Amino acid sequence: MLEQPEVSIIMGSDSDLPIVKKALETLKKFEVQFEIKILSAHRSPEVLFEYSRSLDERGIKVVIAAAGGAAHLPGVIAANTILPVIGVPIKSKSLNGLDSLLSIVQMPSGVPVATVAIDGASNAAILAIQIIAVSNKNLKSKLKMFKTELKEKSLAKNKNLVI
Amino acid sequence: MLEQPEVSIIMGSDSDLPIVKKALETLKKFEVQFEIKILSAHRSPEVLFEYSRSLDERGIKVVIAAAGGAAHLPGVIAANTILPVIGVPIKSKSLNGLDSLLSIVQMPSGVPVATVAIDGASNAAILAIQIIAVSNKNLKSKLKMFKTELKEKSLAKNKNLVI
Amino acid sequence: MLEQPEVSIIMGSDSDLPIVKKALETLKKFEVQFEIKILSAHRSPEVLFEYSRSLDERGIKVVIAAAGGAAHLPGVIAANTILPVIGVPIKSKSLNGLDSLLSIVQMPSGVPVATVAIDGASNAAILAIQIIAVSNKNLKSKLKMFKTELKEKSLAKNKNLVI
Amino acid sequence: MLEQPEVSIIMGSDSDLPIVKKALETLKKFEVQFEIKILSAHRSPEVLFEYSRSLDERGIKVVIAAAGGAAHLPGVIAANTILPVIGVPIKSKSLNGLDSLLSIVQMPSGVPVATVAIDGASNAAILAIQIIAVSNKNLKSKLKMFKTELKEKSLAKNKNLVI
Amino acid sequence: MLEQPEVSIIMGSDSDLPIVKKALETLKKFEVQFEIKILSAHRSPEVLFEYSRSLDERGIKVVIAAAGGAAHLPGVIAANTILPVIGVPIKSKSLNGLDSLLSIVQMPSGVPVATVAIDGASNAAILAIQIIAVSNKNLKSKLKMFKTELKEKSLAKNKNLVI
Amino acid sequence: MLEQPEVSIIMGSDSDLPIVKKALETLKKFEVQFEIKILSAHRSPEVLFEYSRSLDERGIKVVIAAAGGAAHLPGVIAANTILPVIGVPIKSKSLNGLDSLLSIVQMPSGVPVATVAIDGASNAAILAIQIIAVSNKNLKSKLKMFKTELKEKSLAKNKNLVI
Amino acid sequence: MLEQPEVSIIMGSDSDLPIVKKALETLKKFEVQFEIKILSAHRSPEVLFEYSRSLDERGIKVVIAAAGGAAHLPGVIAANTILPVIGVPIKSKSLNGLDSLLSIVQMPSGVPVATVAIDGASNAAILAIQIIAVSNKNLKSKLKMFKTELKEKSLAKNKNLVI
Amino acid sequence: MLEQPEVSIIMGSDSDLPIVKKALETLKKFEVQFEIKILSAHRSPEVLFEYSRSLDERGIKVVIAAAGGAAHLPGVIAANTILPVIGVPIKSKSLNGLDSLLSIVQMPSGVPVATVAIDGASNAAILAIQIIAVSNKNLKSKLKMFKTELKEKSLAKNKNLVI
């Protein structure tokens, strides 16, 4: 990945990787360059702090942050950058991700996190691509094709519908 | 508003206006042009459908959609545009907005909605601005100033802290 | 199925089929004709839109719509038809169907969805039959027999109750 | 009300009347005849029992039942009639109607209740009308006009939208 | 079981039996006579109705009723008897028994159900025994011994505590 | 109150009195003698401990315990007596009594608390009376009259039903 | 306050002050020195960061942090100090503090926050005092007197109990 | 373990041991002496009562109490000691630990329990160590090293991140 990454993907723990992989795959499919980090708001706060502050000047355009439980990662990044931050609540062991969702989405005035569904890493990637596409006609075309594909795949399933 | 609007704000009902106003005020503060509509996924579906499909070609860059209860508005718009759609769950009478939040955030794979906090209309505007700012240096500067202001206002409150 | 279908069954995704099958079996048992489609409010919105608008004139009497997560399918159909729409919330991976239930049942004034239990596809079929039976004496008789059977099966279990 | 009522509206307590009134108003608007009763699954079970069993032969076509808390009324009626039963969960004092909703919607296999939103009495009436309209062209026309009105009222609000 | 039963155990479905068995075992251990029935508030309402109304005159002292989902069984029995009714919420497939619990415990004024924990059938039996013991010295002695046993078993576990 | 009390009513705090009063009124109506105490599992544990241990030998037959939040009062009493303990969850400021309900009802195996609805103090009294009535024919007659009154009051409301 | 403060009280917003005041009053009553700050994890992250890192060397012994919604404040402080951090979830507008509670208590392994009840600022102060008292005999005596007072005040309320 | 224990670990049932073990391991790693007991607020209340009252004079500094369901153990201990009590909500079978969490955290004014995450036994140990470290420089050093380790382990995972 020698090209300039446009998306930074950060997860709080390597246990989030099986979910986060779906974001990577989606970005690769759209040929959007990204970098990926394991950084914790609680275990490596100063590294996360410095990293978050560097994102804009390093040319990153959008951040995807995935975390579970008391999921502070997306909010802490959003506090330290002016870039749009997309939060992915990871399904938690005890409360099924309701804790992750509320910890990420209920941000105070002034510091939004763009929250997607619990375990919705693939949609986080789509959202990141939509954001970059605002000023990228090539990506817009790919998104239109993607929407058409979505439709066609969905409709094609009617053919095999044996009842 | 003769200039090209960059943000479209859609609310499901005029009862959402007191909350949505906070989005307008924030966009005005940042001098981002917008248009605003009352369109319902349930009461005026075909108008919403046509409107959603026209957004991209009409030059809109980001959509903010606010709705309460079984809040389908943001998701239905997202189904009909490749633009990033920001969902604002409106606090509902009976379930305090938990229904609105889950109806908006739990979108299926392929069609994300960037969800903010319950009644978080001001943050929806900030997020829209962050998205436009990805390719707009002037807005980036304003966001940096906004972040500094947020900090200064918050810290200034320490001066009056009588205990 | 050359006869005119009276019930349309729509599911958001083919992953809903194992649950939706229970509705098919119940309708077959009552010899009520139906058609079945996979149509998504988010992936194939225009096809769903056209399909929903055609239901009444094509002679369909009742619609059953099953979806999970941010389950907009039943509400979007209800927005586009005057037929009664029965919503089946599908149990979701993270929130156990609470999201599906609230997304379906909490519809705004003017556009009801007749919601049944989470994964309650068989009951959706019974409800559809009850609705058609309002003007169909033959179906009323079958429903009375069904109620008697339900009772007898339930009471018969007392015979094998070893304690 | 000398004409044959087509809808029976039953509420568990007279404290539910302020909500239930919205159903009456809607039925009157559509000129659908109804009867109304206060009958409790817990306080007057044998009267409710007899009443529920008489509904079909007395020519009632649809039942609307409203109750709060451990809201057993709609389910108990559904157990004793083959008519479609629409349940209206009334917002409760402590749990905001979540108890009412779950008590009504989560019915076991074989005995559905068509559940509408918490305090959704007006939608219960619309649903009852949709059910009767399945075999009533006049009501179908009224429903089409109602849908058009809904749309027009919703869109008209855009005119007064001062921002 | 030729002796007069003092406790009636009713379950809504035979699928509740694995949980209800714990109540049987506890009653047997205390040598309290019981009878057991599968009766559904929704599938066999008139049989349940008659049975509930006969309990007092047949010499039953306490009722244990177990049900899941929209669990109306205990409340419907309580509506038809002056005997104390103990409700056991059965853990449900989708909502983990929260629906069962709220449907049983949130009874309206005048008709209580003595609710125990989700799947708490053994405790329902203990409670039934405590109720009968109010006027039965022999059972009081057994309950005192049971409490001593509970304590001793709990404390004995400290001996094997390898750390 | 010189006569032997049969019911002990314990509340965790005097702020619970407005709710608990409904239990007193019901017991008075049935002429059941009671005593009432403010005792806290957390503020006066040793007094509660001694009091709980004395209840049976002092001739009390049933205990009603009301508490809110982390409502340990009913469970702690149940741990220290073989009498049936009825728990009344008091609606709490932040979580509307869901915390009180779960803290009271979810007792471990061996130590039941007979839980009634949130703020259901009147029903706690009815349940206490039902328990005493198991061996008291006079109270049984009163409960039958009470059930008849409940029915008649409920049905009488139909007369004033202006629609 | 010239003396060395032992407790640092931090709130995320000045809107939290009415609740936080109860902590101040309790600390004053116990004559425990404290300092108080308004610092936000989202609006003034770098100041919070520096402040949190300085706490231990500046002689602070315990931290109390109050915040609402996506309440990241206590967790972010805990990430940056080895001192015990007590979290006070503030009741939020929409979700009644459930979001605040889960955002604070569900911390990942390695970085605990000692969470008290929603709006439980007074208890946060008691807990801070208990922590300092571990090595402070004078405070232990005060805590014993406080416990005695709690008991006496609670029991004294029995005198005025008119029934 | 001949040395004076500083931490007392109490669990309500031996079924909690698999979770509680994580606390033991953490304390051992920090070479903090502890004792461990199985004592139930409901099954062995008087032993728990005496044990709780003896903790301070026996030299214990902090208590960790783990329990599930209607988890009264930590609160009952806190009522009987002036030592800081850390509560560990154990994930329960039906409600996933939400009942345990609310039963432990929502303590009334005057009697706090320092609550950690559901199944957060390891964090309970860290919190106990932080509390003891307030007056123990050696433990403070170990906590600093632990924080460094946490960071390094977390960052090291970036090396193996194959994407």
Side-chain angles (χ1 to χ4, degrees), chain F residues 72-106:
Chain F
H72 301 180
L73 185 69
V76 166
I77 297 169
N80 286 291
T81 184
I82 56 161
L83 299 181
V85 176
I86 300 168
V88 184
I90 298 292
K91 185 176 168 180
S92 51
K93 276 183 207 161
S94 44
L95 296 177
N96 290 318
L98 186 66
D99 46 358
S100 321
L101 172 57
L102 298 181
S103 300
I104 290 177
V105 79
Q106 289 291 77

Side-chain angles (χ1 to χ4, degrees), chain G residues 57-78:
Chain G
E57 66 197 33
R58 286 180 45 245
I60 298 290
K61 292 179 173 168
V62 191
V63 185
I64 294 173
H72 301 179
L73 185 70
V76 167
I77 298 169

